[in-house]
């Protein structure tokens, strides 16, 4: 079980946490505010630092603009470093302004499109200040009724905005394009699936990569197939990990379908793409509407580690032999043996090796941090989506 190759790979794993995962969130029905929730980007960073302190594999936190707007992003990056983490992906937000009712970069009104593009360019300025490599673009753009707008014309407008933003990217910077089947648009979405995102990224160039948000597919979609195809094409830039039973539920990754997460990580391991040098940003994109946020994010990081450890335990030579021999049951059996392996002892061993408590969630609860932030974070405006 304690194959050094497996432990080494797990040590190199990096999982980025979302600043908005620490803030209040909910549904259109209700946002249940929680005590001790951050009020500032700095307090979100403090919470992210706790997740890294107890897991050892979450050294970066993604920002969302303007939810994490500050006057001095360089100072915020320094603040993060002083807490033992770094600022990661910069997420643009062109889905919460009244002007974006009919879309942002695909809006029929050129003035609105200009406003949206200027926001994307502002986000690249922020990347220059924070030292972030990636700009993540998810567009809520779409229509609610057939005929509302020209699907073809909207693709042209989208492409124009992406090209202008792509040209602004500096050395080493990337653009990550995220697709989503529906919501908030309910007839068509301008970037609804991996094929559309891939086509735009191909058109743009090598700095443009696709983001797979595991909650953004039609029920029954074989996500690991998309992972394999994008890996083969060198166009898989990142994951937004979460899980769902129905739609974009943004639940803890691996909580609804741990077997799917294992199958996804199996494709990643087969491509030797767990390590950061492989260039894939593994991020969480979740909302903890009713559960305590920091332990939920720690648990989520552990779920990704467990799926990765199981994938690293696949007997690749036995699998290759069974596949070569067309031995269907043997091949499936090899994968199921790995999936059905209890890797929790191995991960406890890894954490002990890394000088960490083998049980991060218990260690967090023993730290008293939850009580501390509940006592300190009184008054002010709890952070949220501000929708
Ligand atoms: C859209 C999305 C996107 C983020 C938002 C917080 O559903 O997945 O990645 O901008 O959630
Ligand atoms: Mn997402």
């Amino acid at each position: 079980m304690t194959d050094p190759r497996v432990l080494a790979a797990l040590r190199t794993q990096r999982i980025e946490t979302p600043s908005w995962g620490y803030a209040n969130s909910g549904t259109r029905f209700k946002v249940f505010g929680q005590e001790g929730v951050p009020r500032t980007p700095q307090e979100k960073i403090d919470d992210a630092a706790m997740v890294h302190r107890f897991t050892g594999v979450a050294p970066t936190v993604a920002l969302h603009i303007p939810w994490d707007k500050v006057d001095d992003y360089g100072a915020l990056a320094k603040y993060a470093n002083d807490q033992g983490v770094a600022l990661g992906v910069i997420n643009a937000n062109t889905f919460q302004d009244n002007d974006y009712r009919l879309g942002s970069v695909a809006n029929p009104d050129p003035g609105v499109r200009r406003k949206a593009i200027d926001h994307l360019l502002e986000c690249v300025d922020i990347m220059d200040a924070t030292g972030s490599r990636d700009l993540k673009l998810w567009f809520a753009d779409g229509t609610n009724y057939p005929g509302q707008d020209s699907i073809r014309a909207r693709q042209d407008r989208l492409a124009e905005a992406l090209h202008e933003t792509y040209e602004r990217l500096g050395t080493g910077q990337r653009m990550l394009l995220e697709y989503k089947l529906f919501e908030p648009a309910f007839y068509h979405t301008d970037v609804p699936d991996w094929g559309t995102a891939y086509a735009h990224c191909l058109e743009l160039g090598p700095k443009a990569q696709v983001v797979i948000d595991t909650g953004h597919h039609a029920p029954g979609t074989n996500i690991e197939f998309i992972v394999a195809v994008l890996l083969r094409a060198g166009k898989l830039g990142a994951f937004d990990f979460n899980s769902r039973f129905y739609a974009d539920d943004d639940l803890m990754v691996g909580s609804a379908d741990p077997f799917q997460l294992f199958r996804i990580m199996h494709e990643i391991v087969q491509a030797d793409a767990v390590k950061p040098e492989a260039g894939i940003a593994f991020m969480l994109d979740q909302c903890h509407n009713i559960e305590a946020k920091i332990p939920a994010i720690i648990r989520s990081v552990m779920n990704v580690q467990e799926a990765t450890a199981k994938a690293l335990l696949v007997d690749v030579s036995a699998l290759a032999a069974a596949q070569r021999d067309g031995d269907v049951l043997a091949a499936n059996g090899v994968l199921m043996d790995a999936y059905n392996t209890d890797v929790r002892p191995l991960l406890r061993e890894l954490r002990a090796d890394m000088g960490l408590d083998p049980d991060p969630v218990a260690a967090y609860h023993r730290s008293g941090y939850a009580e501390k932030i509940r006592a300190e974070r009184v008054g002010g405006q709890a952070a949220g989506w501000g929708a």
Side-chain angles (χ1 to χ4, degrees):
M1 274 272 270
T2 53
D3 172 340
R5 178 189 57 84
V6 172
L7 288 173
L10 289 168
R11 240 178 215 278
T12 67
Q13 185 163 42
R14 295 289 174 268
I15 300 157
E16 183 157 309
T17 67
S19 67
W20 57 97
Y22 302 103
N24 281 332
S25 59
T27 71
R28 59 184 165 177
F29 300 104
K30 174 70 176 164
V31 171
F32 295 99
Q34 295 184 19
E35 288 183 336
V37 156
R39 293 137 332 154
T40 63
Q42 287 80 3
E43 290 181 345
K44 295 174 191 175
I45 290 167
D46 294 343
D47 294 358
M50 291 305 285
V51 172
H52 184 48
R53 177 173 147 197
F54 291 109
T55 64
V57 293
T60 56
V61 54
L63 298 185
H64 218 296
I65 310 300
W67 298 339
D68 299 313
K69 190 171 183 48
V70 293
D71 300 335
D72 184 340
Y73 287 98
L76 189 69
K78 181 169 178 330
Y79 179 84
N81 295 344
D82 293 347
Q83 311 314 311
V85 291
L87 300 182
V89 170
I90 302 297
N91 286 265
N93 181 334
T94 61
F95 53 87
Q96 289 188 310
D97 187 298
N98 284 335
D99 289 343
Y100 298 147
R101 179 173 62 86
L102 301 177
S104 63
V105 294
N107 192 296
D109 177 332
V112 173
R113 299 202 295 273
R114 184 70 256 159
K115 175 178 178 171
I117 296 169
D118 288 346
H119 170 67
L120 305 185
L121 299 176
E122 178 209 353
C123 286
V124 183
D125 298 342
I126 293 170
M127 290 161 66
D128 293 343
T130 61
S132 298
R133 173 189 65 180
D134 296 331
L135 170 68
K136 183 152 83 76
L137 302 178
W138 170 70
F139 299 109
D141 291 44
T143 62
N144 277 2
Y145 298 97
Q148 174 186 330
D149 196 355
S150 157
I151 293 173
R152 175 69 184 275
R154 293 178 71 94
Q155 288 298 308
D156 293 339
R157 298 165 196 159
L158 167 66
E160 198 183 308
L162 292 173
H163 276 282
E164 182 175 345
T165 308
Y166 187 92
E167 293 316 311
R168 168 65 185 81
L169 293 174
T171 312
Q173 293 180 332
R174 302 188 308 176
M175 162 191 293
L176 304 175
L177 183 57
E178 183 175 357
Y179 58 88
K180 181 174 180 179
L181 184 64
F182 80 103
E183 189 211 30
F186 294 110
Y187 165 58
H188 102 281
T189 294
D190 293 303
V191 188
D193 54 27
W194 74 273
T196 308
Y198 178 52
H200 280 288
C201 288
L202 269 184
E203 192 182 304
L204 289 160
K207 293 181 180 178
Q209 304 267 320
V210 178
V211 180
I212 296 180
D213 184 311
T214 45
H216 287 186
H217 304 82
T221 299
N222 186 323
I223 298 177
E224 59 271 25
F225 172 82
I226 300 171
V227 173
V229 169
L230 289 175
L231 277 169
R232 181 173 175 277
K235 277 296 185 189
L236 178 59
F239 284 96
D240 265 4
F241 277 142
N242 50 64
S243 68
R244 52 80 169 278
F245 289 102
Y246 304 103
D248 191 17
D249 308 350
D250 280 341
L251 300 171
M252 290 190 293
V253 61
S255 61
D257 189 347
F259 185 44
Q260 180 190 64
L261 182 60
F262 162 77
R263 300 192 313 266
I264 288 170
M265 292 314 293
H266 171 60
E267 292 303 327
I268 294 292
V269 167
Q270 296 305 299
D272 189 21
V274 172
K275 58 190 182 212
E277 308 86 84
I280 297 176
F282 296 95
M283 303 177 288
L284 302 180
D285 178 5
Q286 302 175 171
C287 295
H288 307 291
N289 300 343
I290 58 173
E291 69 270 29
K293 301 169 189 295
I294 297 170
I297 294 177
I298 292 173
R299 179 69 253 177
S300 303
V301 170
M302 295 167 68
N303 287 354
V304 176
Q305 287 182 301
E306 287 177 19
T308 308
K310 290 174 185 244
L312 287 162
L313 290 175
V314 170
D315 182 339
V316 284
S317 52
L319 183 63
Q323 290 172 342
R324 188 189 54 246
D325 304 344
D327 188 336
V328 175
L329 291 177
N332 176 251
V334 170
L335 226 62
M336 295 316 291
D337 285 348
Y339 178 65
N340 292 322
T341 304
D342 181 358
V343 294
R344 293 171 295 181
L346 179 156
L347 286 165
R348 280 197 284 273
E349 187 187 332
L350 171 80
R351 295 184 187 111
D353 276 6
M354 294 169 76
L356 301 170
D357 188 293
D359 183 342
V361 172
Y364 169 73
H365 287 307
R366 274 200 310 278
S367 74
Y369 186 75
E371 293 74 17
K372 174 175 171 289
I373 56 178
R374 255 201 303 276
E376 284 174 2
R377 295 176 182 174
V378 177
Q381 175 59 51
W385 284 41

